[in-house]
């Protein structure tokens, strides 16, 4: 849905396709960049996924039946969920080159607004918003479990390091969040090479042990091993899926980060480098356990990833793994900034202060409120849970919930947008939903052990997002009820009011009627400027808006003009820069001769139909704490006048 400057839903406008925001360069260069940014989350899963399946809260004996069954589940999950569902199908559903739940939601809503499947719109919006809400829970757990699991590798070097694991992890995380305001452009140059070394190390360590037990290769590829595990021990196999899914956490990041690199670099990097390296490492962990006595395997399975390396190389492996988890955490934090920016532009979150940390890369942003809130929650998680094994109990439910929702959204895309025939779509969707439901169901068993945390965060975020969107719409509707037609106003006021030199720009969310700020200004100051512009900023359902679609003007006569500025949901809004390019309104706008008038509403909670009182009060609190429109739209501070009014919703 299109969103106006204040966050109200509008109907999108068709037009030419804007350019995507992908990085430019050779395929190999983009692949290295994608390996450094996109695959951090899923790439660090071998550190804890295999361990948690066997030595987590629900243990399994590390014998042939269980090892081959788990390896088979990991292989086919990666193949079906990541390679087929996300890389092959969902990544084709891009919104002008951008991916992610909100981009997919905007794509579907644009189709709905054009007359297709309108009855699905509200339910689809709620699902997309809930997937976004779950993402915030995931973005808190990922840095905590990743860094903590890597630092725990120190105990495989020297058991005496155990008391220092949590403080070290906290120190690393605090440092990571502290540098966010400086941007990641320079550090990002190192991400690709470090992750290349990391994935190559995964493959080498795994390959060394596969040579000692080569049968593990064919056994992993054999889907019958997964079924044997299920038939032999149905309940333990179902419970084990709650940990096996940790091997594919981060799959949704491939889709969300598509806008940075494009589909082909991510696809090729996954199929020809990342997935083989991960599978070889998982096979190596299984082969190592199968090569040991039962007593040795029971000890090794407590941290099989680090035991892959000989003792002399274990400390370098811990350092490399820690660097990889820092990179994975950085990607999640940057993703939280990006998702928040999209949510602000699409009208689900109040305006927040956004700082651009790069003059060249528009996607590199920093949002202080999100950064420090994430840091506090991540530190609390590390302290509360104390170990990556305990955190693993909380991890997965947000990811599997988001995967399940993505399945619903892609179903709409297959039938409504792409017009796939039923015989082609239904079997594929049946496979996806069967796997997603099994994984989500297995993770529901984790709720008492910590799975409640991401669900709680998701519920809070969902409440905030929907309250803001609903409250903003109600407020605009209430203000429109008393709106005066602009033509009537011009006829009555233009001839009688005193006109003063200069330009007055009145920011308004409505395309009709007279802005409240204009009425209040005339009432109190008794004057009108020679040129009066009614300015609306609209956020489109596309990432970028270019060309003639950016600016639209209408001349009402008597010095009154309506100007519409359109931006994509991935773009930075700069009103003064845009006004300098506006044509058809007389002379060029000079900031020293222009005054911007903003309306600041004070809400009065009431029993009128719309929202519950507690949600009205919550919305009022969010409105009071929103970033100033002056800063959000980059208006010159010495040229802004704010006029207040009271609105009862």
């Amino acid at each position: 849905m299109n969103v106006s400057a204040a966050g109200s839903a509008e109907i999108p406008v068709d037009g030419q396709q804007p350019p995507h925001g992908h990085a430019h360069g050779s395929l190999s260069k983009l692949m290295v960049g994608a390996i450094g940014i996109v695959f951090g989350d899923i790439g660090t899963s071998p550190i804890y996924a295999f361990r948690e399946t066997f030595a987590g809260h629900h243990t399994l004996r590390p014998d042939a039946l269980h090892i081959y069954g788990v390896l088979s589940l990991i292989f086919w999950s990666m193949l079906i969920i990541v390679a087929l569902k996300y890389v092959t199908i969902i990544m084709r559903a891009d919104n002008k080159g951008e991916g992610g739940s909100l981009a997919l939601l905007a794509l579907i809503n644009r189709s709905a607004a054009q007359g297709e499947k309108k009855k699905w719109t509200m339910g689809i919006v709620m699902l997309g918003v809930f997937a976004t809400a779950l993402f915030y829970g995931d973005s808190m757990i990922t840095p905590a479990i990743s860094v903590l699991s890597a630092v725990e590798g120190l105990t495989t070097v020297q058991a005496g390091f155990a008391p220092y694991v949590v403080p070290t992890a906290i120190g690393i995380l605090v440092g990571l969040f502290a540098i966010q305001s400086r941007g990641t452009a320079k550090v990002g140059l190192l991400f690709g090479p470090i992750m290349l070394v990391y994935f190559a190390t995964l493959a080498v360590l795994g390959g060394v042990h596969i040579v000692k037990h080569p049968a593990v290769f064919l056994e992993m590829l054999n889907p019958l091993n997964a079924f044997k595990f299920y038939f032999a021990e149905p309940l333990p196999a179902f419970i084990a899926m709650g940990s096996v899914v940790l091997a594919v956490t981060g799959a949704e990041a491939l889709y969300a980060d598509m806008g940075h690199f494009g589909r082909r670099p991510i696809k090729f990097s996954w199929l020809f480098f990342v997935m083989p390296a991960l599978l070889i490492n998982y096979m190596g962990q299984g082969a190592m356990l199968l090569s040991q006595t039962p007593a040795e395997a029971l000890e090794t399975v407590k941290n099989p990833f680090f035991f892959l390396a000989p003792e002399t190389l274990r400390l370098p492996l811990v350092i490399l793994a820690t660097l990889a988890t820092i990179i994975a955490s950085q990607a999640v934090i940057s993703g939280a900034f990006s998702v928040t920016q999209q949510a602000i532009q699409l009208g689900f979150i109040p305006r927040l202060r956004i700082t651009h940390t790069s003059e060249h890369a528009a996607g590199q942003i920093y949002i202080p409120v999100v950064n420090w809130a994430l840091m506090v929650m991540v530190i609390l998680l590390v302290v509360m849970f104390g170990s990556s094994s305990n955190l693993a109990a909380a991890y997965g439910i947000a990811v599997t919930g988001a995967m399940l929702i993505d399945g619903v959204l892609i179903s709409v895309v297959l039938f409504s947008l792409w017009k796939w025939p039923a015989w082609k779509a239904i079997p594929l969707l049946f496979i996806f939903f069967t796997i997603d439901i099994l994984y989500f169901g297995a993770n529901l068993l984790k709720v008492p052990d910590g799975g409640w945390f991401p669900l709680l965060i998701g519920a809070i975020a969902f409440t905030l997002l929907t309250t803001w969107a609903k409250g903003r719409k109600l407020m605009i509707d209430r203000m429109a009820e008393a709106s005066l037609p602009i033509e009537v106003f011009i006829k009555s006021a233009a001839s009688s009011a005193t006109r003063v030199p200069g330009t007055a720009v009145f920011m308004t969310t409505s395309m009709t009627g007279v802005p409240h700020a204009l009425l209040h200004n005339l009432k109190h100051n008794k004057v009108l400027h020679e040129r009066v512009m009614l300015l609306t900023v609209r956020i489109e359902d596309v990432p970028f808006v270019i060309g003639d679609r950016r600016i639209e003007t209408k001349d009402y006569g008597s010095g009154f003009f309506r100007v519409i500025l359109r931006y994509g949901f991935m773009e930075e809004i700069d009103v003064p820069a845009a006004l300098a390019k506006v044509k058809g309104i007389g002379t060029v706008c000079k900031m020293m001769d222009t005054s911007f008038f903003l309306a600041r509403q004070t809400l009065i909670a009431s029993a009128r139909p719309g929202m519950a009182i507690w949600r009205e009060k919550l919305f009022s609190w969010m409105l009071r704490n929103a970033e100033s429109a002056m800063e959000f739209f980059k208006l010159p501070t010495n040229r802004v006048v704010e006029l207040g009014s009271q609105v009862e919703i």
Side-chain angles (χ1 to χ4, degrees), residues 438-507:
L438 282 173
Y439 273 130
F440 184 67
N443 275 277
L444 285 177
L445 298 176
K446 296 180 177 182
V447 171
D449 296 322
W452 54 267
F453 178 81
L455 291 179
L456 175 63
I457 296 298
I460 293 172
F462 182 78
T463 301
L464 292 173
L465 267 60
T466 54
T467 297
W468 178 258
K470 179 68 173 177
R472 199 61 185 156
K473 184 178 185 303
L474 285 173
M475 186 175 71
I476 292 171
D477 289 344
R478 299 289 187 260
M479 293 172 65
E481 291 174 359
S483 178
L484 177 69
I486 185 65
E487 293 81 4
V488 174
F489 175 82
I490 293 174
K491 286 180 181 179
S492 62
S495 58
S496 59
T498 302
R499 307 298 287 260
V500 296
T503 300
V505 178
F506 292 89
M507 305 289 292

Side-chain angles (χ1 to χ4, degrees), residues 484-487 489-490 503-519 528 531-537 552-554 556 559-565 579 585 597:
L484 177 69
I486 185 65
E487 293 81 4
F489 175 82
I490 293 174
T503 300
V505 178
F506 292 89
M507 305 289 292
T508 174
T509 61
S510 176
M511 296 298 300
T512 60
V514 181
H516 281 229
L518 176 53
L519 293 174
L528 286 174
R531 179 168 55 180
V532 177
M533 294 171 53
L534 312 180
L535 177 64
T536 299
V537 177
E552 179 182 336
T553 61
K554 181 178 181 179
Y556 290 110
F560 284 79
F561 302 89
R562 186 175 296 280
V563 178
I564 303 170
L565 300 180
L579 288 180
I585 58 169
F597 291 84

